[in-house]
Amino acid sequence: MAKFDGAIALDPNYKEALYQKGITQMALGNYEDAKALFDQALVVDPNYKQAYLGKGLALHADGKLVEAQQEYDKALEIDPGYSYAKISRMHALLAMNKPREAFGMLI
């Protein structure tokens, strides 16, 4: 974590360091901290699809499925072919008991 902090201290707009620190926080179960870091990365680059995906995954892990789906949708607006966002969106829809909508994405 110290290396991410050092990189961010040198360049607060280093979106990749913000994103990677967010991924690390998510892996540690610190979903609120992860979401805040993904939000910071999105301030730097509003078209950073990976940060939308990361935020969606943190929300999903935190049980906030509707909000997670919205983040996956934002990633897909930027890149409609972004397979990680598509798969994650399908998982969220299945968890919300919406199989038709989830499997409709395959067509």
Side-chain angles (χ1 to χ4, degrees):
M1 203 70 70
K3 292 191 182 213
F4 295 130
D5 292 336
I8 294 165
L10 287 172
D11 181 2
N13 293 323
Y14 188 6
K15 70 180 182 181
E16 185 65 23
L18 292 164
Y19 171 77
Q20 291 297 332
K21 185 176 178 183
I23 292 294
T24 302
Q25 290 293 343
M26 193 169 52
L28 295 171
N30 301 326
Y31 304 122
E32 291 302 318
D33 292 340
K35 288 184 284 186
L37 288 158
F38 295 134
D39 282 336
Q40 287 178 32
L42 289 166
V43 167
V44 174
D45 181 358
N47 291 314
Y48 193 29
K49 67 184 181 184
Q50 293 89 337
Y52 286 114
L53 174 66
K55 186 175 177 184
L57 292 170
L59 287 161
H60 194 141
D62 203 19
K64 298 174 181 172
L65 299 174
V66 173
E67 294 93 337
Q69 180 188 347
Q70 292 168 347
E71 297 302 318
Y72 302 143
D73 287 343
K74 290 175 187 174
L76 289 167
E77 285 175 20
I78 295 165
D79 181 357
Y82 189 30
S83 60
Y84 293 118
K86 284 183 179 183
I87 291 166
S88 298
R89 186 177 189 278
M90 286 177 64
H91 283 275
L93 289 167
L94 289 170
M96 290 186 287
N97 200 27
K98 296 182 178 183
R100 287 181 192 252
E101 192 174 341
F103 292 115
M105 293 181 64
L106 296 174
I107 299 171

